Amino acid sequence: MERRHIEEFSKIPQPDRSEWRFLQELQEPLPYHFQTGSGCTPGVTADCMKNGAELFLNGADVPETALESLRRVLKAKGVPERAGTCPIRFEADPQLGREEYLVRADVSGMTVRASDSDGFRRGVYFLEDRISEAAGPSVTAGEWRRKPYIRHRISRCFFGPTNRPPFRIDELTNEVDYYPDEYLNRLAHEGVNGLWLTMYFRDLPSSIFPGRGADFEKRIRKLRRTVEKCARYGIRIFVFLSEPKLFRNKEQQAETAEHPEILGAGYHYHGYDLRMFCTSTEAGLSYLKECTELIFSSVPQLGGIINIMLGEDNGCCAAYETTEAEPIPPEDHCPRCSRRDYAEIFREQAVTFSRAMRKYNPDAEYIGWFYAPRQHDGSAFMKRLACIAEKWPDDASIMFNFESGGTSMQLGRKRVVLDYSLAYVGPSELFAQVADTAPRTAAKLQVGCSHEDASIPFIPVPANLYEKYRFLHDHHVSSVMQCWYFGNYPGLMNKAAGELSFEPFPENAADFLKNLARPEWRENAEKAARAWALFSEAYRTFPANLNFEWYGPLHQSIAWPLHLFPVDEPVSPSWLLKEYPEVSGDRIGKCFGYFHTLDEGLQLCREMSRLWQEGMAILEPLRGPFRNDPPRLRDIDLAAAVGLQMESTCNVLTFYSLREEMFFRKRNHLEKLRAIVEDEIRNTLEMEKLCLRDCRLGYHPEAEGFLFFPEKLRARASLLRELLTEDFPRFSLDDDRIKAYTGEIQSGPGAVIGRCGIGPQTLNRGRNIVWTGEYDDRFLHLTVRGAGDRDFTLVLEPCRLWPLFTVDFFRNGRYHVSDVMFVDPPEIDVTREGDDVSIRIPLSLFEGFRRDGMPMRMNLWSQDGTFFWKEPRFLPKGRLQFGNVIPDSLGWINFSADAGAPGAE
């Protein structure tokens, strides 16, 4: 495959915004496609509206938008609004609570009772579903009383800009309407009553930081319009923050000239010069109070605040002190915050935000989000987070990721779920503990989809939501943030979350799924529910692995080239466009880290795909009965697209598994590899057809663009054909590229390590700095002599395709291990004698990954460039999890054949 064709592939332009048809679709009224005939189903009031319906408002506070919606449903059913016909009565009932409603339907008519407009809204939507699920001019008979236990059900605009790099589009500074009426109507029907949008305190005028806030009035005018518009549909706007921010550089730190005491703890590693924001100062707390009051005094109708208080780019000293696993050097401590209880500092912040906000809106909710995706249940970090919840104030909600840190047993081994997950039911031990100890708890969920697969609008796995919400209900969780930038498209999963947020809670998942399906799938509801149950079971076998979420092939392998010859290039991130590499290479191990071997990942993905296809076997035949119902056909297409993603994932993993075995074991798998490529061409062209029918496919809201789209899919198919016609005929195991890949041919520095060690290996420019090494059955031993007074880095590549194992050593005695790629943080032994540093690395860390007898690649270099074994090369920008080291800048270490070599098959 010619390199220039890969480069051309990377330059295929994204679809223009004018081609994003889902923007138009979200502005269209909810479509209704009803069957004809009489209502003869048991439990249905047969043809009670055959002559029409008459609405009696009786002075009730029924929102006009809800009445308009009900009239649309009646019209779509062919039911005229006519005096003297079937009555639909609305009655105020002060005994009912906030958003609570009672609906009654029988042969004499229908009644909706509530005490407030939100209750009437929910009651109307519930009644619409009972009308929709019944055949003809009928309604399901019964009496239902429902109230929300999840008071705040907060989503986000699917296509709203992130206000983050690389585009930096602030929705409050342009004239785009991100909240069309019909889009809001869909969200309201699905139970959403809150939306979050991003703001930054740096954009506000401040007495602490003079000169800020140039566009404040412009932002506030747009925010007011947004709040007023959403309120017509019972939806409140929550301001999303991550405040206070840290100071990333000298320029930002210079802003504190009038209040230097705000500069708190420091971080001075890897070339960074960061300073935290100290809230243990009068000026620090005043800044939080002043900015919050400014927003809420300007727009008091806001629903509240969601503030990341730990994680992302929150920069308060307490967050730094809480997160750091290793002792912070004395010179980097904040002189004020380090002397205080960090839990008390967070409590103080929450009280400051909450009081400032409620001064202007007593009903507003403050939600403090502790985004800690890398905590492990049972760890010291988890215990520190739990202490924060114990001291949390009564008048605010504390929020944690529902799943992060939880343990999933897969293939008989523990795996740790380190970020949100729709596949893993959860909860984590941390979340369970917090839910039972904090006065008010909120849950961070991903309702529609998660990092596992965010290039589709949603994953149809409502049974997984049922299990999550059952825990929320039983443990009195009162708020849910339903999404990050993705996971929020209107449809099945939003609807499921809305239904599950109300009491009485469904007794079992099977009945819930059938009831969820009835309004749209009607007589085929049981089949749809069975398919969803299989999809949910399938998705639970997704590899519980942070790398497989963030970099995994499920998002976009349907648009990856395949490489028969090794290129030693990484895979693309899922959440960023125009980020290195723009076209994925063959380092497939970066999708797994050291959580799963390639064989384990394949086993799980094949089972996921198998079960998904069982569900498709139930859903696919429903195309006939719903041939005149485009929304249901689109649901079937969506499930088929996810199935193709799973098949493609299995193909890509199998391709590289066979390729590696061919390289290292000299086995001929060319025909199997050819069959995979041919199958991927078919999958790619099938996905193209689905994309032409459904423009949502491939769009990733956090990336603010498409990971795959028709033109890119056609180009991928062309690249795969080129692979078959050009690379396969030329393939030979004697090719020097393959020998260089396996280590049969080695360039650059090399060393042979035995059980008795090796002589000193000189480091370039290192003067008297050398390294030595040896190994035994359990450990690799390395010693760096003369480097103890410098910051330096050790990297190992235990096997090809897999991420580098990195240890950073600092002159103050600290060291940092890249632990997020392991199920349990790896334990290495480091000893220092004068300027000599000895490292003992357990070979068990790489068990199942290394091939017996094969060499490793390695390098050592100082951060100041004074020494290296092989001159390292770096990417201009680091990659999340993996740093910025280019793997070809490594030397080779070979293990002496007479003594055996470490590792395992």
Side-chain angles (χ1 to χ4, degrees), residues 23 155 705:
L23 296 179
S155 188

Side-chain angles (χ1 to χ4, degrees), residues 5 96 111 123 129 139 141 155 179 240 242 279 281 287 314 316 334 352 375 396 425 487 599-600 625 662 699 731 905:
H5 292 161
L96 298 176
T111 302
D129 284 344
V139 62
S155 188
Y179 306 93
F240 173 74
S242 182
T279 62
T281 58
Y287 175 67
N314 184 289
C316 76
C334 174
T352 299
Q375 78 89 13
V425 168
D599 286 346
E600 288 174 330
M662 190 162 65
Y699 184 77
F731 182 81
E905 278 296 329

Side-chain angles (χ1 to χ4, degrees), residues 464-621:
N464 289 10
L465 282 186
Y466 174 85
E467 298 299 337
K468 293 174 187 288
Y469 276 81
R470 182 170 64 177
F471 181 92
L472 300 184
H473 175 263
D474 292 348
H475 292 263
H476 312 292
V477 174
S478 58
S479 299
V480 172
M481 182 180 178
Q482 296 185 179
C483 64
W484 185 229
Y485 295 110
F486 44 80
N488 42 42
Y489 197 88
L492 169 67
M493 297 300 282
N494 266 6
K495 180 70 170 178
E499 292 296 310
L500 290 167
S501 297
F502 280 73
E503 296 176 326
F505 195 81
E507 291 185 3
N508 60 73
D511 286 346
F512 166 69
L513 294 181
K514 283 186 283 187
N515 290 333
L516 180 66
R518 281 195 180 101
E520 295 180 333
W521 296 88
R522 292 177 284 278
E523 70 271 19
N524 287 292
E526 187 167 350
K527 291 180 181 178
R530 282 168 43 213
W532 295 340
L534 280 165
F535 293 158
S536 302
E537 182 184 356
Y539 207 51
R540 292 180 196 181
T541 67
F542 181 95
N545 185 321
L546 184 61
N547 284 0
F548 208 74
E549 289 190 30
W550 289 358
Y551 291 91
L554 195 58
H555 299 273
Q556 55 180 331
S557 66
I558 198 75
W560 285 358
L562 292 172
H563 302 277
L564 185 60
F565 292 98
V567 295
D568 201 24
E569 292 178 355
V571 296
S572 304
S574 62
W575 68 96
L576 289 169
L577 299 175
K578 300 300 179 184
E579 190 80 4
Y580 175 83
E582 293 185 38
V583 178
S584 283
D586 55 357
R587 291 186 67 92
I588 201 71
K590 291 200 170 185
C591 297
F592 291 109
Y594 297 93
F595 268 57
H596 295 83
T597 66
L598 186 51
D599 286 346
E600 288 174 330
L602 255 173
Q603 188 174 339
L604 292 167
C605 288
R606 284 169 178 162
E607 179 66 4
M608 178 170 65
S609 182
R610 182 188 69 79
L611 288 168
W612 195 275
Q613 292 308 319
E614 283 189 24
M616 281 306 302
I618 297 171
L619 209 57
E620 191 68 39

Side-chain angles (χ1 to χ4, degrees), residues 734-745:
D734 290 327
D735 192 292
D736 284 351
R737 287 172 290 181
I738 295 172
K739 290 182 177 181
Y741 177 81
T742 61
E744 293 176 68
I745 297 175

Side-chain angles (χ1 to χ4, degrees), residues 264-296:
Y267 182 92
H268 303 102
Y269 300 105
H270 308 292
Y272 288 109
D273 181 16
L274 310 179
R275 295 295 296 274
M276 306 302 147
F277 189 109
C278 179
T279 62
S280 296
T281 58
E282 182 179 351
L285 281 182
S286 294
Y287 175 67
L288 303 184
K289 177 175 179 288
E290 177 184 63
C291 291
T292 305
E293 287 191 352
L294 183 59
I295 293 171
F296 278 80

Side-chain angles (χ1 to χ4, degrees), residues 515-795:
N515 290 333
L516 180 66
R518 281 195 180 101
E520 295 180 333
W521 296 88
R522 292 177 284 278
E523 70 271 19
N524 287 292
E526 187 167 350
K527 291 180 181 178
R530 282 168 43 213
W532 295 340
L534 280 165
F535 293 158
S536 302
E537 182 184 356
Y539 207 51
R540 292 180 196 181
T541 67
F542 181 95
N545 185 321
L546 184 61
N547 284 0
F548 208 74
E549 289 190 30
W550 289 358
Y551 291 91
L554 195 58
H555 299 273
Q556 55 180 331
S557 66
I558 198 75
W560 285 358
L562 292 172
H563 302 277
L564 185 60
F565 292 98
V567 295
D568 201 24
E569 292 178 355
V571 296
S572 304
S574 62
W575 68 96
L576 289 169
L577 299 175
K578 300 300 179 184
E579 190 80 4
Y580 175 83
E582 293 185 38
V583 178
S584 283
D586 55 357
R587 291 186 67 92
I588 201 71
K590 291 200 170 185
C591 297
F592 291 109
Y594 297 93
F595 268 57
H596 295 83
T597 66
L598 186 51
D599 286 346
E600 288 174 330
L602 255 173
Q603 188 174 339
L604 292 167
C605 288
R606 284 169 178 162
E607 179 66 4
M608 178 170 65
S609 182
R610 182 188 69 79
L611 288 168
W612 195 275
Q613 292 308 319
E614 283 189 24
M616 281 306 302
I618 297 171
L619 209 57
E620 191 68 39
L622 299 185
R623 289 187 185 275
F626 289 93
R627 58 188 174 274
N628 296 318
D629 191 340
R632 301 294 72 74
L633 293 177
R634 177 170 281 200
D635 285 343
I636 298 170
D637 278 352
L638 172 59
V642 176
L644 283 174
Q645 288 181 306
M646 291 178 178
E647 289 180 30
S648 179
T649 293
C650 291
N651 277 341
V652 168
L653 298 181
T654 303
F655 182 91
Y656 288 116
S657 176
L658 291 172
R659 193 194 77 167
E660 293 299 284
E661 187 170 277
M662 190 162 65
F663 288 173
F664 287 97
R665 291 183 172 275
K666 309 301 182 184
R667 293 178 178 172
N668 188 348
H669 291 312
L670 274 182
E671 289 310 307
K672 291 180 180 178
L673 294 174
R674 181 185 297 276
I676 290 172
V677 176
E678 290 170 346
D679 192 40
E680 274 303 277
I681 292 172
R682 287 189 292 271
N683 288 340
T684 306
L685 297 178
E686 185 60 31
M687 183 65 88
E688 181 202 1
K689 294 177 186 176
L690 294 176
C691 287
L692 290 170
R693 295 204 294 259
D694 186 348
C695 59
R696 304 171 302 173
L697 298 176
Y699 184 77
H700 192 303
E702 185 168 9
E704 299 182 70
F706 290 83
L707 300 186
F708 56 86
F709 47 92
E711 186 178 358
K712 191 169 185 177
L713 292 168
R714 288 192 295 271
R716 191 234 186 177
S718 179
L719 286 176
L720 294 178
R721 293 189 192 99
E722 181 182 343
L723 187 72
L724 291 175
T725 58
E726 299 295 331
D727 290 33
F728 272 78
R730 293 188 291 107
F731 182 81
S732 168
L733 286 173
D734 290 327
D735 192 292
D736 284 351
R737 287 172 290 181
I738 295 172
K739 290 182 177 181
Y741 177 81
T742 61
E744 293 176 68
I745 297 175
Q746 296 182 3
S747 61
V752 178
I753 294 182
R755 291 181 181 271
C756 297
I758 59 172
Q761 301 294 303
T762 302
L763 295 167
N764 291 333
R765 302 183 190 169
R767 298 183 300 278
N768 296 321
I769 302 175
V770 299
W771 72 269
T772 64
E774 63 182 18
Y775 73 91
D776 56 37
D777 290 337
R778 298 176 57 201
F779 298 99
L780 174 64
H781 304 265
L782 299 171
T783 298
V784 185
R785 303 192 187 282
D789 62 343
R790 292 173 172 81
D791 297 339
F792 69 94
T793 296
L794 164 70
V795 295

